[in-house]
Amino acid sequence: MSDDTDRDGREAVINTLRNYISDDITQVLDAAALVDSTATAITVLQAAFMVIAVIAFTLCFFVLWLSFTANVSENAWEFGVLRALGLTAAQVLRVYIYEAMCLVGSSLVLGTAIGLLQALTLTLQFNLFTELPFVFDFPYLIFSLVLAMSVLVALAGSYFPTRAFAKKAIASALKGL
């Protein structure tokens, strides 16, 4: 059968073959239809994973915001000392943003490395049992989404809580008011 055969032509051939098969052990399947349905299922599953990732990062943003608000409140004296040493409010704000970016960057590198090692190990183990060739498809789309959302959440989660302290006078920041 040629590759450009349409669905109706494939079904006609499959039905003709099924008429000649008399036992229940032999089956005739339409591989092209199975590949199409699998591709559709993969697309829907990836879309669901992206929606879940967006929801998770929305929740992470609020947790990070609360964490940085507590961090800035606890380190109000440090904030005031940095301002008293001559750093502008914008420079101190950048220090806190750099801190958040360092935390997120190191987490991304370690998480990616650990995830890749785990995925490769499980894929190799699965291929060992099924005796299939090794194929590893990296999910670039969802990885890019997670990377971008991580950076945005780190920037916003550190900027907004620190911005409130940047507007205060140095003396009130030193007193923790």
Side-chain angles (χ1 to χ4, degrees):
M1 185 175 278
S2 64
D3 290 336
D4 60 343
T5 305
D6 63 344
R7 181 176 171 224
D8 293 333
R10 286 193 316 265
E11 284 184 15
V13 170
I14 288 170
N15 289 334
T16 304
L17 288 173
R18 285 183 181 156
N19 286 334
Y20 291 109
I21 297 172
S22 59
D23 60 356
D24 291 336
I25 297 172
T26 307
Q27 292 183 358
V28 179
L29 299 173
D30 186 2
L34 291 174
V35 168
D36 289 341
S37 65
T38 303
T40 303
I42 289 172
T43 303
V44 169
L45 195 59
Q46 284 184 343
F49 286 156
M50 286 187 201
V51 168
I52 290 168
V54 169
I55 292 169
F57 274 99
T58 303
L59 295 173
C60 286
F61 167 72
F62 289 114
V63 169
L64 186 67
W65 187 341
L66 290 172
S67 173
F68 258 88
T69 301
N71 186 24
V72 169
S73 297
E74 289 174 6
N75 296 330
W77 186 78
E78 175 187 329
F79 191 90
V81 168
L82 289 174
R83 291 284 314 276
L85 287 174
L87 271 70
T88 64
Q91 288 173 328
V92 176
L93 183 67
R94 280 197 304 262
V95 167
Y96 281 96
I97 289 174
Y98 293 156
E99 177 186 357
M101 293 305 296
C102 286
L103 291 171
V104 168
S106 62
S107 298
L108 280 171
V109 169
L110 288 173
T112 301
I114 291 169
L116 274 174
L117 284 173
Q118 185 176 9
L120 287 171
T121 302
L122 290 174
T123 303
L124 286 170
Q125 185 178 21
F126 175 77
N127 289 345
L128 179 69
F129 292 129
T130 58
E131 297 181 5
L132 292 172
F134 176 73
V135 177
F136 183 74
D137 294 325
F138 188 78
Y140 293 105
L141 190 59
I142 193 143
F143 180 76
S144 301
L145 177 73
V146 168
L147 181 76
M149 297 268 310
S150 297
V151 170
L152 288 174
V153 165
L155 288 173
S158 60
Y159 173 76
F160 291 120
T162 311
R163 184 181 62 166
F165 267 89
K167 294 178 182 176
K168 291 184 178 182
I170 295 173
S172 62
L174 280 170
K175 291 178 184 177
L177 301 175

